[in-house]
């Protein structure tokens, strides 16, 4: 019963979206107009354009459509085959908002509304049917993940309902509910004909003046002094200011073919879905889509029958050698490979067993190293934009992603925070074909895997490591990865069951709770060592004042401080939002050491280079690899360093936020800084890598008498959150200003020095802020039995939704969960209202964790210490943003 009774060799699915045509010429619309044959005279390409888009699939046509809508002219779209004849032609046609992160939900929601109105706008039928969808849960953990998703969708105003198994039967007659514990119903989800949507977008773009050329291959992109100048095709060159790589499967190869190589880290995998003929009682077009993620399958109605595919545990990567096909033909059927998904389908819908199979479709999809699409401007080629790597959600994301990229190209940044999708989150280190092949074999199954908080990729590991990696590993370090760098989460004491601990995955209290608690206790009472070598580290130097002038313009805080002083500062954009949050040390009069978050390596470098004047006397160097960073946290840190350096490390001799170059043990030239990124007393040591092992050994040896131990990033996270320190990339982003998160004291308002974002901040200070960063301490929450908050939970004030959490951790000091997040008052007639301290302090707050609300007390930053019972010197408290993400 698992194999087809009849395999037909019918025409490819989606032929209704295939146009007549074939000449190397300008695309014609409407579809009824036949193009000339291959022997016809090719229509010449224009000699110049403002922007050239490569790729005539749904992503490329969406970008063209949205650029034209924003008033762009001289737009040229090039397609190497026929328009929409690649993956778009074979897309399953499902548009769903059930996505793991908020920006993806927003893109999907916009795509849905765009496709719904396209037919009216263009006159082209798109096959749009609002079917709704059902996300099924076979176990309680999956059900919890769906409840968390429902809470997040409701914040965005997207309709959804958590329902019981019996309600599933009412919505879909074929679904077997015997093993279900619940489901999430998304009534707004839809299905479309993706080739027809692509045709509608192209028609609308052409009506706004976009020139579309088929059977035109882009060979390479030409650059001059780092800027796009032209595109070279097999039919001649086109001069242009902007280029957009929407080449899908071939985006990687196209990036490598440019004069300056552009890294587009994606890789193809085969993706299978089944088409059936109608059962005895054909399915209605409005039958809901079913996503049975525990069974690894999705099912939708198709011409009275079903279309069902999935994401198997053992995917088949393709095109590793960079093979390029003009058009993606229907690849070989593989029934043995599809058998587990067919079994899951028949288990979920047993009545389909009698159905006759129409076809098994095998089409390639491209996947990225972290399951998120690639969007934005290349860091090494100005004017070279990328939108690719859709992870089998090209149709769902194309509308919203095209809109955001068009805004990015028009205004300099889109209207939403797209950092989770920004191509600058990756660097060249993720461009290895071997790495990509191995990683996508893990990524594709992960799309439907149950992902609990703090899960880690298993492939592509040990790519970047500290010189101390082996030493720490033998001492029980359990590892996580950030930007390819291995970082210790915590250290398992001898005698613990390592295998069971590594396998522990839960939305509740984790098995590492007591281990991290012991590390936090040691940080507060003795001394701990955390290897933080993954930090991004730059040096800016100049022969005169050029370095200071550059950083004074880019940084909100005043950097004209005495040599040896450390300044915590944001690098802001024109809107006053955080492009970076960093610590800057003035090493010499004209030399500055910049410490940034781990995943800022490419983004911060690009930001600095973008604003650097062309001055041969001004130099920027990435020195991340030159230094190992050790964080000594705790009241006994000064004793350990004092013994190793024969220098007094007390606050009287080594004040807070100060840097000295010192000897530690036998090693010279150690940059010792009196900060810890946690609010606890201690020191950061930046050690030339050749001395790293020696210094670590000496610190651990001398520290034994003071109770020293290793600690990891989970302890660091707990410490920084209970001290209200913000986290760039999660708490802080390009839309968050210092005034919104209580960091006004880190802005040089009291000087007349101009800096990027100053005008926006002055205006905001005058008008007031419409949202504020707050701390919420949960009450009536049982750490042992209740669900834990992680991030993204809705915040309610006096029963009304007012914001979401951005990060959270258990505070071992307060013995409570602490959440950080933003809240806003209700708008007045559509105008954002101003947040006042009264609004924060006089509200009754609750945090929604998977539908269950827990009361919480709110605090503003900076706040009166919650730890008055622990007397500490003010000198040892640095009010620092955490740069450790």
């Amino acid at each position: 019963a698992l194999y087809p009774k009849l395999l037909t060799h019918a025409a490819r699915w989606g032929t209704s979206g295939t146009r007549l045509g074939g000449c190397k010429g300008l695309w014609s619309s409407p579809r009824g107009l036949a193009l000339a044959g291959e022997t016809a005279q090719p229509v010449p390409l224009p000699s110049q354009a403002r922007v050239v888009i490569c790729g005539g699939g749904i992503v490329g046509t969406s970008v063209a459509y949205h650029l034209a809508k924003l008033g762009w002219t001289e737009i040229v779209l090039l397609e190497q085959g026929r328009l929409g004849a690649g993956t778009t032609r074979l897309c399953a046609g499902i548009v769903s908002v059930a996505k793991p992160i908020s920006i993806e939900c927003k893109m999907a929601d916009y795509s849905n509304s765009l496709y719904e109105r396209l037919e009216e706008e263009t006159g082209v039928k798109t096959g749009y049917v609002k079917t709704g969808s059902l996300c099924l849960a076979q176990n309680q953990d999956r059900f919890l993940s769906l409840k968390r998703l429902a809470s997040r969708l409701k914040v965005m105003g997207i309709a959804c309902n958590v329902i019981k198994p019996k309600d599933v039967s009412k919505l879909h007659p074929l679904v077997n509910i015997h093993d279900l514990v619940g489901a999430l119903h998304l009534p707004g989800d839809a299905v479309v004909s993706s080739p027809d949507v692509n045709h509608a977008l192209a028609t609308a773009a052409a009506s706004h003046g976009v020139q579309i050329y088929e059977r035109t291959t882009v060979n390479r992109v030409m650059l001059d002094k780092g800027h796009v100048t032209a595109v070279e095709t097999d039919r001649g060159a086109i001069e242009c200011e902007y280029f957009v790589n929407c080449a899908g499967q071939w985006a990687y190869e196209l990036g490598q073919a440019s004069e300056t190589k552009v890294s587009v880290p994606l890789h193809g995998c085969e993706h299978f879905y089944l088409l059936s003929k109608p059962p005895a009682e054909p399915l209605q077009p409005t039958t809901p889509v079913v996503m049975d993620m525990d069974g690894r399958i999705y099912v939708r109605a198709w011409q009275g029958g079903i279309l069902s595919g999935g994401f198997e545990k053992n995917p088949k990567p393709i095109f590793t050698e960079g093979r390029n096909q003009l058009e993606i033909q229907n690849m070989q059927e593989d029934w043995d490979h599809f058998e587990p998904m067919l079994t899951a389908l028949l288990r979920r819908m047993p009545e389909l067993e009698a159905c006759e199979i129409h076809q098994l479709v095998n089409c390639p999809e491209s996947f990225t190293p972290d399951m998120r699409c690639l969007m934005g401007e290349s860091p090494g080629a100005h004017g070279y934009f990328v939108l690719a790597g859709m992870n089998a959600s090209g149709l769902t994301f194309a509308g919203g992603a095209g809109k955001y990229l068009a805004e990015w190209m028009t205004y300099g940044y889109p209207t939403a925070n797209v950092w989770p999708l920004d191509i600058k989150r990756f660097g060249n280190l993720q461009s290895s074909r071997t790495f990509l092949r191995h990683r996508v074999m893990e990524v594709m199954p992960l799309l439907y895997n149950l992902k609990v908080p703090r899960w880690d990729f298993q492939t592509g590991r040990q790519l970047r490591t500290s010189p101390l990696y082996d030493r720490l590993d033998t001492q029980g370090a359990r590892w996580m990865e950030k930007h390819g760098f291995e970082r210790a989460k915590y250290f398992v004491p001898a005698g613990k069951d390592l295998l069971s601990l590594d396998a522990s995955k839960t939305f509740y209290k984790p098995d590492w709770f007591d281990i991290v608690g012991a590390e936090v206790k040691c940080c507060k009472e003795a001394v701990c060592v955390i290897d933080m070598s993954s930090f991004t580290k730059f040096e800016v130097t100049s022969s005169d004042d050029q370095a200071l002038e550059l950083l004074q313009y880019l940084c909100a805080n005043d950097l004209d401080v005495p040599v040896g002083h450390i300044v915590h500062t944001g690098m802001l954009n024109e809107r006053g939002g955080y492009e970076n949050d960093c610590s800057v040390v003035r090493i010499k009069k004209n030399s500055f050491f910049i410490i940034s978050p781990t995943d800022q390596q490419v983004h911060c470098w690009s930001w600095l280079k973008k604003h650097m004047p062309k001055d041969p006397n001004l130099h920027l160097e990435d020195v991340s690899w030159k230094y190992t960073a050790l964080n000594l946290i705790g009241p006994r840190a000064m004793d350990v360093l004092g013994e190793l350096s024969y220098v007094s490390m007390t606050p009287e001799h080594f004040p807070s936020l100060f840097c000295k170059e010192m000897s530690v043990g036998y090693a010279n030239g150690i940059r010792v800084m009196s900060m810890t990124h946690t609010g606890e007393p201690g020191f950061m040591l930046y050690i030339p890598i050749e001395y790293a092992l020696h210094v670590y050994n000496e610190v651990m040896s001398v520290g034994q008498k003071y109770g020293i131990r290793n600690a990891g990033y989970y302890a660091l996270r707990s410490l920084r959150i209970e001290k209200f320190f913000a986290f760039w990339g999660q708490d802080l982003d390009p839309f968050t200003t210092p005034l919104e998160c209580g960091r006004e004291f880190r802005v040089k308002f009291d000087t007349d020095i101009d800096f990027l974002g100053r005008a926006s901040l002055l205006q905001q200070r005058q008008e007031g802020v419409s949202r504020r960063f707050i701390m919420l301490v949960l009450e009536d929450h049982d750490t042992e039995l209740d669900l834990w908050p992680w991030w993204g939970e809705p915040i309610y004030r006096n029963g009304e939704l007012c914001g979401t959490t951005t990060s959270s951790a258990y505070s071992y000091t307060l013995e409570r969960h602490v959440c950080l997040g933003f809240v806003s008052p209700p708008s007045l007639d559509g105008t954002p209202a101003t947040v006042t301290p009264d609004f924060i302090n006089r509200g009754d707050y609750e945090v929604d964790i998977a539908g269950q609300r827990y009361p919480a007390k709110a605090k503003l930053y900076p706040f009166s210490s919650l730890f008055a019972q622990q007397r500490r010197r003010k000198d040892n408290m640095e009010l620092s943003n955490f740069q450790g993400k």
Side-chain angles (χ1 to χ4, degrees), residues 2 82 96 204 218 232 256 325 373 391 407 440 497 533 539 545 560 682 692 736 792 796 811 824:
L2 298 179
R82 291 174 299 164
S96 175
V218 174
E232 185 182 282
Q256 296 297 301
Q325 299 175 345
C373 75
N391 299 283
E407 291 172 348
V440 299
D497 186 344
S533 302
E539 283 188 0
D545 291 337
D560 195 3
T736 302
Y796 289 84
S811 167
S824 304

Side-chain angles (χ1 to χ4, degrees), residues 501-772:
L501 194 65
D502 286 345
S504 170
K505 296 177 180 179
T506 179
F507 290 103
Y508 291 89
K509 178 184 174 182
D511 286 354
W512 44 256
F513 179 83
D514 292 332
I515 295 173
V516 174
E519 292 178 4
V520 169
K521 187 173 189 291
C522 188
C523 287
K524 290 179 173 291
E525 297 178 1
V527 57
C528 277
V529 180
I530 303 180
D531 184 350
M532 299 177 68
S533 302
S534 66
F535 274 176
T536 296
K537 301 171 277 286
F538 296 136
E539 283 188 0
V540 180
T541 58
S542 61
S543 58
D544 204 351
D545 291 337
Q546 299 97 324
L548 177 63
E549 290 171 1
L550 171 69
L551 294 177
Q552 285 285 63
Y553 175 68
L554 290 180
C555 296
N557 212 342
D558 190 357
L559 297 185
D560 195 3
V561 295
V563 170
H565 282 244
I566 303 169
V567 178
H568 296 306
T569 182
M571 290 186 183
L572 311 180
N573 52 41
E574 291 180 353
R575 301 181 306 278
Y578 282 93
E579 291 293 336
N580 185 15
D581 188 47
C582 56
S583 299
V584 182
V585 188
R586 194 169 194 174
I587 300 297
K588 299 176 184 175
K589 183 174 184 292
N590 298 317
S591 178
F592 296 84
F593 186 63
I594 303 173
I595 306 159
S596 296
T598 301
D599 54 1
Q600 272 275 9
Q601 189 164 16
V602 178
H603 178 71
C604 184
W605 174 272
S606 176
W607 188 256
L608 288 165
K609 293 293 284 185
K610 178 180 178 179
H611 294 93
M612 278 181 68
K614 298 291 187 290
D615 187 338
N617 296 311
L618 179 62
H619 304 281
L620 172 64
E621 183 184 3
D622 186 343
V623 295
S624 300
W625 62 275
K626 287 186 175 182
Y627 293 94
T628 295
L630 291 183
N631 195 351
L632 267 65
I633 306 177
R636 306 313 297 266
M638 68 178 73
D639 300 308
V640 175
L641 276 185
E643 279 197 38
L644 285 170
S645 62
Y646 294 96
V647 171
S648 174
M649 304 299 293
T650 62
E652 291 76 18
H653 297 91
F654 206 123
S656 181
L657 298 179
F658 194 72
C659 173
K660 289 181 185 177
E661 237 181 49
M662 297 171 52
S663 297
V664 178
Y666 297 155
N668 290 317
I670 312 300
R671 292 177 177 174
V672 179
M673 304 178 190
S674 51
M675 64 177 184
T676 64
H677 308 290
T678 64
E680 301 298 326
F683 302 89
M684 284 292 303
L685 278 60
Y686 285 87
I687 309 159
I689 56 170
E690 63 267 31
Y691 300 144
L693 196 56
H694 167 74
V695 172
Y696 174 78
N697 288 339
E698 291 293 296
V699 166
M700 294 303 287
S701 177
V702 170
Q704 291 303 312
K705 69 180 80 168
Y706 301 109
I708 199 167
R709 67 180 291 168
N710 292 299
Y713 272 78
Y714 284 9
L716 193 80
R717 181 185 180 90
S718 174
L719 291 167
R720 72 95 180 167
I721 287 180
E722 72 178 19
K723 293 294 171 51
F724 213 155
F725 291 176
F727 200 110
W728 191 90
Q730 192 160 335
D731 304 314
L732 307 179
D733 60 43
F735 289 85
T736 302
T737 72
L739 277 64
E740 293 169 346
C741 54
R743 269 75 176 169
E744 185 173 347
F745 64 93
R746 291 193 187 148
V747 180
K748 48 180 177 260
F749 284 131
D750 56 348
T751 74
D752 57 1
I753 301 170
D754 189 27
F755 61 89
L756 195 57
R758 179 186 176 95
S760 295
L761 292 187
L762 287 172
Q763 181 179 351
Q764 189 180 53
R765 187 166 70 163
Q766 182 177 352
E767 296 175 353
V769 296
S770 58
R771 64 178 193 146
R772 275 301 300 264

Side-chain angles (χ1 to χ4, degrees), residues 72 146 368 396 486 559 673 804 819 867:
W72 284 55
L146 294 178
T368 64
T396 294
E486 296 294 329
L559 297 185
M673 304 178 190
T804 56
C819 301
F867 316 103

Side-chain angles (χ1 to χ4, degrees), residues 177-192:
I177 64 170
H178 79 280
D179 59 346
L180 299 183
V181 297
L184 177 64
H185 180 220
L186 301 165
D189 283 358
V191 298
V192 296

Side-chain angles (χ1 to χ4, degrees), residues 464 480-487 534 598-599 884-885:
R464 303 172 71 198
M480 61 181 180
E481 170 258 335
K482 189 70 177 177
H483 198 59
F485 212 111
E486 296 294 329
R487 312 196 307 183
S534 66
T598 301
D599 54 1
K885 187 172 183 196

